[in-house]
Amino acid sequence: MVDTTPSMMSSLVIDCRSDTVTKPNKEMRQAMYNSVDEGVGDDVFGDDELVLDLEARLAMMFGKEKAVFVPSGTMANLIAVSVHCEKRGSEYICGSASHITLYEQGSGATIGGAHPRQIPNEQDGTMNVEHILDAIRIEDDHFPTTRVVCLEQTHNKCGGRVLKQSYVDEVCEKVKAVTKMEDDDEKRVQIHMDGARIWNACIKNKVSLKDAVAKCDSVSVCLSKAVGAPIGSVILGTESFIRKCKRLRKALGGGMRQVGVLAATADVGIDAWEQNVSKSNRLALLFANSVENIENIKVCGPVESNLVILSFQHLKKDVTIHDIVAWLKMKYGVLVTVFGAPYPFNDPNSVRVAFHYQITDDEVDFVVSSFKVAAWEQTESQKK
C-alpha cells in the first residue's frame, strides 16, 4: 500500500501534466481587459478586428493565404481532415500512434465520414515513406479514395520527437509527385500537418515557421500549448480551403462571438514565443539529464522538445504507476500524467513530464528530487 497522505509540500503545485496548464500572465490579462476598446466584436458576423488581425498575422508567419480561429486542436484537425475528405468515400492516411488516431475519438470517421488508413509510426514519429506511398489509393471502385496524408509535429505519443525538416519535405514532395493531376492540382493527395507543437519543432530544427510547413497544404497550430494562450488553435491553408473550414466550424459549434478577448492573449504569447519555447525545450533536457542516473528510472528515447517520457523500473509489490503518480501529487505537489503502454514505448510504467515557460529552473530541481525519492520509496533496488 502506497501512503498518499498529503504533506506540507503538496501545497506547492508544480504542474507538469501538459503545456496547456499555463495561466494567462499579467500581460495577457491586461490585453484581455484592453480588447474591449481595441476592436473586439462578433466573430460569427466577421467584425471582430482582433481575431481577424490574429488570423492574418499567423497566415503571414506560416506562409499561408488564410487562417481561421477554432476553439481547440481536436476541432482543428477534424475540420481540416473533413474538408480534405469532403467527398463521400474518401480516406485519410495517418500514423497508428498519432494524436488524430489515439486521442480524438476517431472523429474523422464518426463525424467527418472519412475512412482512416493507419500506417505504423516508427519510434522517431515518422512513417516509412514507401509505406505511405504504397497505402495511397486513387480511382479504384474497390477502395476509398485517398485525399490527404496527416503528419504530426512534434509527435506526442513518440515522446515529443521532432520530425526532421528533410523528412517532412520528402513526404510532401513524393506524395505530390505520385498523385499530381495535370488538369487540377487540388485533385492530388494533400498534406495536412497536425502542428500542435510545431513551435517546439522549429526551435529544435532551427527553421522558420514558414519553412517548416512550406510544402504542406494545411496546418493546424495550437495556441494554448507553446504560445501559452488560454484557449484556441488555428487552421491555415488556401483561401478556398479556409472558407470551407469556416463553414464547417459553424456546424460543429465552433463559431464563437467576442473571440477577440482570446485573440488578444494569443498575440501576447506569440510576441514571446521563441524565448518561451526555447526555455521549455531547455528545461525538458535539463530534467532528463538530471533523472537519467537515478536508479530504476529510465528515460525513454531522446528528448527533442518539451516532453520527457520516463519509466519506473522494478516497482515494489502491489505498487502501480498510478500509485506513484498519486504519491508525487500528494507528497510533493508534482503533477504528471501516466503515459501507458501503447506502441512505440510498450512500457506500462511510463509517465509523461511536460515543461512550459512558467516552470522555473529551481522547480525542475524540485521535480528531480521528488522523482528520486519516489524511485527510492516505490521501487526495489537492484544494487547488491
Side-chain angles (χ1 to χ4, degrees), residues 145-174:
T145 302
T146 305
R147 302 293 182 186
V148 62
V149 174
C150 303
L151 303 176
E152 183 177 335
Q153 184 76 297
T154 66
H155 201 289
N156 173 59
K157 199 61 183 178
C158 291
R161 295 296 295 273
V162 175
L163 305 181
K164 293 180 179 179
Q165 192 60 46
S166 59
Y167 170 81
V168 174
D169 292 343
E170 180 187 7
V171 171
C172 294
E173 290 167 359
K174 288 188 174 180

Side-chain angles (χ1 to χ4, degrees), residues 253-267:
M256 299 186 289
R257 300 297 178 169
Q258 286 71 35
V259 75
V261 175
L262 302 175
T265 67
D267 266 323

Side-chain angles (χ1 to χ4, degrees), residues 114-148:
H115 178 262
R117 185 81 182 273
Q118 296 179 22
I119 304 296
N121 280 110
E122 306 297 332
Q123 290 199 351
D124 63 356
T126 63
M127 297 175 282
N128 183 289
V129 178
E130 294 306 315
H131 292 174
I132 294 174
L133 299 178
D134 288 344
I136 292 173
R137 303 189 279 196
I138 302 292
E139 301 299 331
D140 188 305
D141 290 347
H142 296 86
F143 308 131
T145 302
T146 305
R147 302 293 182 186
V148 62

